[in-house]
Amino acid sequence: MSETAKSDLVTFETREGVAVIMINNPPVNALGADVRAGLHAAVKRAQDDTAVGAIVIGAEGRSFPAGADVREFGKPRATPILSQVCDLIEASQKPVIAAIHGTALGGGFEIALACHYRIAQQGTRLGLPEITLGVLPGGGGTQRVPRITGAGPALELMMTGKPVTAERAQALGLIDQIAERNVDKAAFATARNMIAQGTAPRPTRDRAEGLGDPAAFSDAVEHWRAQAAKRPVPAAAKIVDCVERAMLLPFDNGIAFERAAFDECEPGPEATALRHAFFAERRAAKVPELAGATLREVHKIGVVGAGTMGAGIAISCLDAGFPVTLIERDQEGLDRGVARIKTNYDRSIAKGRIDTATGDARMARLTGTTDMAQLADVDLVIEAVFEDEQVKRDVFAQLDAVMRPGAILATNTSYLDINALAATISRPEDVVGYHFFSPAHIMKLLEVVVGDKTDPNVVATGFALAKKLRKVPVRAGVADGFIGNRVLAAYRLAADFMLEDGASPAQIDAAMRAYGFPVGPYQVLDMAGLDISWARRKRLAATRDPNERYVAIGDLICEQGWFGQKAGRGYYVHDQDNGPIENPEVLDIIAAERARKGITPRMFSREEIQSRCLDAMANEGARLLEEGVALRPSDIDVVKIFGYGFPRHKGGPMMAADQRGLLSVMNGLKERSAEEPRFWAPSPLFNELIKNGRRFSDMNNG
Ligand code: COA
């Protein structure tokens, strides 16, 4: 007898004695409260139904559940909670089979682990990425996985958060079978066989193959405990503790331990910031231009300029499957660019990241030429020539002459005024900025800079293209330095003021590393080369306000020819054997500057260095919001996290300001206003938000 009962999110059907329970909560079948309730009710019903001999749990759409519903995190959780659903499934007296496809992540994988048998469709990826959200598996994952795999593989899954293939999961014992085609059918057939053969349930809680070697188990625990100590999120150490308990405690006590650990991490500042980063990334892709947009067709891409940036952009496009025409002024430069791209693929092949055929296919899609006319048939050109207004104007004039009507002209500028550039050609509506970050084929951030005349369809096409290039796009309006470099400039200036007032480069760098940046601001300058920003400062010198506090230390260093790492010297001395060490002569230059300006040096604590840099960044971010350059605070956070090394677990400068308290940030800014009023004066947005009891995060929706 067949019977179907539908709720919206979980469907229940019995066929030939098999209860087929399907989760149906698009887009990724996240396990929100209603899904959990529906699943709980369906499993209970199957158990109570005497006509049911076995149960299959599967999912409609593109994936088995990709996790708990992250939107519920940080709020009181409605029952049944995930671990209650898992316990009910595992306790079933009838065998339960998980039919898994897509990406079974987090809570989704934990549901599968609570089932008695797991069949995955080929191509499925399974993982426990909770640590990337600052939490730990809270549905029994920390107790069930090690019982099957031992501590080593279990901890690798949970500490890296990286999903594994179905084949790897099978090798670890986490999957029983891989279905080549339709996993739901395969699971149904298995369920029928189990009924016929009277197969008993196999609760994971009773499995012990992973516990068979206590010495190896505790070695792995100690190995990962040492790793966890270096991680900034408290969940890391908790995961290790939980997995250790899988060996030490009875299952139910282990589950209780896991729950307590989860509850401790979930409301913490790191988890809150990481959740923010997760949604901020996805929110950034939603821009007003997408509504009603007609995307322009992009099949073939041109890249003008085969230097480091151009080559990186070309690689990014080739990787995404586009044919690319790469243009350089002369053959020599072109050969160098093509060689750079070839070297990149050779390295990827040598490291086993791609196979030779893939590398060859990507190279075969590349056409190098010095003839601009070859761009006549491309749909989009990304110009990545030298950052100079006249040079870019010349290139744009040539592009205007050869490109087909409706093709897009994108400029990879970091600072230049796109409106001014667009005004020099006949089709300003086709001009957009794509600001890539170096190395362009690796860095995820892409600032999509929208000019006054840019056609909304061109903007929308930019966002669609970014997805294909696997970039994280953020919309920015035209401004000197757009979002990223504007905030960076404020960060550097705050640091430079401290340099002059008493701190050393090493001290400032150490403070910002302690905050969570991989490297400090002066290390970054040395790595990037000091001559680039020096050239820019020289260009801007004529228009600089003479009343502005100007820190000349960087210029004085450059005057010595110390352009950073590539010159062996910069803020640091770059000793090949010992790494960067403090440059004593730079300290002399700083001391002389202080003396020249009559500054008596003072001490800066680590906390003060951090708060000055963070306040300056948040203030500049607030100004970008006021000016409409950034759409929302979370976009600024995404730019800083993905392009500038801002620690993700702090959520970005605007989120960090929320967490530190806007009143305290504003008061800090006000206090410093006497030092340099224009720089430190708080943006009126602070007062506006505080007055209304709001925070930056309240500006994110919309
Ligand atoms: N909870 C709530 N919403 C989720 C979610 C989750 N666990 N996972 C994804 N979503 C939402 C996204 O916010 C997005 O919503 P939007 O369309 O309104 O922006 C939508 O589902 C699609 O996700 P997206 O990431 O854009 O799709 P994708 O195909 O690129 O990636 C996943 C799919 C599942 C791989 C990816 O979303 C992911 O990694 N999710 C988080 C998984 C996770 O950490 N689970 C453990 C939770 S404890």
Side-chain angles (χ1 to χ4, degrees):
M1 201 178 80
S2 168
E3 179 200 0
T4 306
K6 290 223 171 222
S7 81
D8 280 334
L9 300 168
V10 178
T11 63
F12 182 97
E13 182 184 14
T14 53
R15 269 186 284 136
E16 301 176 50
V18 178
V20 178
I21 298 170
M22 297 296 279
I23 300 164
N24 187 13
N25 182 26
V28 296
N29 285 316
L31 294 159
D34 291 342
V35 176
R36 295 195 304 273
L39 193 54
H40 195 271
V43 172
K44 207 156 183 333
R45 179 174 168 188
Q47 283 171 37
D48 294 344
D49 187 339
T50 49
V52 168
I55 303 166
V56 169
I57 299 179
E60 307 283 0
R62 66 195 228 206
S63 180
F64 203 76
D69 189 332
V70 184
R71 286 165 302 191
E72 290 181 352
F73 281 21
K75 301 174 190 151
R77 195 80 35 93
T79 51
I81 60 170
L82 187 64
S83 61
Q84 290 169 325
V85 180
C86 290
D87 288 348
L88 181 77
I89 293 170
E90 190 171 58
S92 167
Q93 296 303 308
K94 304 164 186 179
V96 188
I97 301 144
I100 313 164
H101 73 288
T103 39
L105 302 176
F109 193 16
E110 289 177 295
I111 292 272
L113 287 161
C115 295
H116 303 142
Y117 297 90
R118 284 162 287 282
I119 307 179
Q121 190 153 314
Q122 212 160 46
T124 303
R125 295 175 68 75
L126 307 105
L128 294 168
E130 284 84 348
I131 190 156
T132 63
L133 291 166
V135 291
L136 49 129
T142 67
Q143 303 306 297
R144 290 194 178 92
V145 177
R147 280 177 160 73
I148 297 174
T149 67
L155 281 166
E156 191 171 337
L157 264 179
M158 294 175 217
M159 295 292 279
T160 64
K162 285 200 185 124
V164 294
T165 59
E167 288 76 14
R168 170 82 182 134
Q170 188 177 30
L172 291 171
L174 295 168
I175 291 297
D176 298 294
Q177 190 187 322
I178 295 178
E180 274 180 26
R181 274 188 288 277
N182 189 328
V183 73
D184 298 332
K185 274 193 185 155
F188 183 77
T190 304
R192 264 192 1 203
N193 282 344
M194 285 183 172
I195 296 172
Q197 289 167 14
T199 309
R202 184 190 53 171
T204 309
R205 60 184 282 149
D206 296 338
R207 292 177 67 170
E209 57 266 49
L211 311 179
D213 184 347
F217 198 101
S218 56
D219 283 354
V221 165
E222 287 321 314
H223 166 79
W224 285 102
R225 181 161 281 142
Q227 300 291 316
K230 296 181 213 150
R231 301 276 286 267
V233 284
K238 298 271 182 213
I239 287 173
V240 179
D241 291 345
C242 287
V243 169
E244 186 179 40
R245 294 315 187 277
M247 171 65 101
L248 300 176
L249 298 179
F251 183 80
D252 291 330
N253 299 47
I255 289 287
F257 189 87
E258 176 192 273
R259 171 100 326 249
F262 185 93
D263 288 346
E264 219 175 292
C265 292
E266 187 191 358
E270 295 84 2
T272 307
L274 288 167
R275 281 197 296 276
H276 165 75
F278 176 83
F279 286 117
E281 178 186 341
R282 283 153 182 84
R283 194 180 298 122
K286 296 183 175 110
V287 292
E289 285 85 356
L290 288 177
T294 309
L295 296 184
R296 297 214 186 157
E297 301 264 325
V298 178
H299 302 293
K300 196 169 175 194
I301 296 177
V303 176
V304 181
T308 313
M309 213 57 203
I313 293 170
I315 292 169
S316 193
C317 298
L318 292 167
D319 287 352
F322 289 101
V324 173
T325 305
L326 181 68
I327 304 269
E328 234 329 326
R329 254 179 322 189
D330 51 46
Q331 192 61 40
E332 206 184 311
L334 180 65
D335 290 346
R336 260 201 311 273
V338 172
R340 209 175 254 141
I341 296 171
K342 176 88 175 63
T343 307
N344 163 75
Y345 286 130
D346 288 347
R347 250 191 234 133
S348 297
I349 292 166
K351 289 194 175 156
R353 281 199 216 111
I354 53 172
D355 58 28
T356 312
T358 307
D360 290 349
R362 290 181 189 176
M363 273 314 282
R365 284 199 292 272
L366 177 69
T367 311
T369 173
T370 55
D371 177 13
M372 279 280 202
Q374 300 285 321
L375 295 176
D377 68 338
V378 305
D379 307 302
L380 164 90
V381 162
I382 304 168
E383 161 284 305
V385 300
F386 184 64
E387 184 82 349
D388 175 90
E389 203 163 319
Q390 195 50 51
V391 176
K392 299 231 184 223
R393 281 183 188 203
D394 291 347
V395 169
F396 262 61
Q398 293 177 60
L399 293 175
D400 196 14
V402 300
M403 287 174 69
R404 68 163 177 78
I408 298 174
L409 287 78
T411 170
N412 171 59
T413 177
S414 318
Y415 287 101
L416 297 179
D417 181 347
I418 287 171
N419 289 330
L421 187 63
T424 62
I425 64 164
S426 69
R427 34 176 145 176
E429 67 281 3
D430 297 337
V431 176
V432 67
Y434 286 171
H435 183 206
F436 287 81
F437 290 76
S438 189
H441 58 296
I442 292 172
M443 295 291 285
K444 300 275 277 175
L445 179 63
L446 180 71
E447 277 182 314
V448 177
V449 186
V450 181
D452 292 345
K453 297 230 166 103
T454 310
D455 177 358
N457 293 330
V458 169
V459 179
T461 306
F463 275 78
L465 177 73
K467 201 171 167 95
K468 287 193 185 143
L469 300 183
R470 303 169 77 97
K471 299 289 178 207
V472 176
V474 177
R475 186 192 190 283
V478 176
D480 187 34
F482 315 124
I483 297 174
N485 282 340
R486 267 275 296 266
V487 176
L488 175 67
Y491 173 28
R492 283 190 179 153
L493 204 50
D496 272 356
F497 289 163
M498 288 188 276
L499 215 54
E500 228 173 37
D501 289 340
S504 72
Q507 204 188 343
I508 292 171
D509 283 346
M512 297 320 285
R513 282 198 308 273
Y515 181 73
F517 281 86
V519 279
Y522 296 104
Q523 289 173 287
V524 173
L525 278 166
D526 267 10
M527 284 156 68
L530 305 187
D531 45 335
I532 299 167
S533 43
W534 189 33
R536 184 175 144 72
R537 287 196 298 277
K538 282 196 278 196
R539 272 205 305 277
L540 297 176
T543 52
R544 189 177 302 128
D545 180 346
N547 296 319
E548 175 185 307
R549 178 175 176 185
Y550 184 72
V551 179
I553 295 165
D555 300 347
L556 297 168
I557 294 174
C558 286
E559 280 169 19
Q560 304 295 318
W562 300 338
F563 293 150
Q565 204 162 318
K566 62 186 171 192
R569 259 166 200 261
Y571 284 92
Y572 295 87
V573 175
H574 297 274
D575 179 331
Q576 284 202 330
D577 298 327
N578 302 313
I581 49 172
E582 215 158 11
N583 185 345
E585 289 168 90
V586 163
L587 300 182
D588 292 342
I589 288 174
I590 295 172
E593 270 302 278
R594 288 175 189 152
R596 187 178 71 80
K597 288 193 171 178
I599 296 170
T600 310
R602 70 171 181 91
M603 292 289 290
F604 284 87
S605 69
R606 182 167 275 192
E607 290 69 31
E608 185 175 2
I609 292 171
Q610 291 171 349
S611 77
R612 278 178 174 259
C613 291
L614 293 171
D615 291 351
M617 283 190 250
N619 200 27
E620 199 61 26
R623 288 176 185 152
L624 288 168
L625 290 166
E626 276 177 77
E627 292 167 27
V629 175
L631 277 184
R632 33 176 116 81
S634 63
D635 283 3
I636 300 169
D637 290 338
V638 171
V639 167
K640 298 321 282 183
I641 292 170
F642 285 93
Y644 295 82
F646 199 100
R648 192 178 168 98
H649 65 277
K650 303 278 190 188
M654 311 315 281
M655 176 69 181
D658 273 355
Q659 289 198 336
R660 292 160 65 234
L662 293 194
L663 187 59
S664 130
V665 174
M666 185 174 77
N667 287 340
L669 290 165
K670 275 188 186 160
E671 265 170 39
R672 295 173 206 129
S673 291
E675 297 171 19
E676 168 65 43
R678 262 166 314 177
F679 181 70
W680 287 116
S683 148
L685 189 54
F686 280 97
N687 204 23
E688 189 63 29
L689 287 171
I690 293 165
K691 209 172 58 188
N692 293 302
R694 299 173 78 219
R695 305 188 303 169
F696 285 122
S697 59
D698 296 313
M699 294 174 70
N700 284 333
N701 301 321

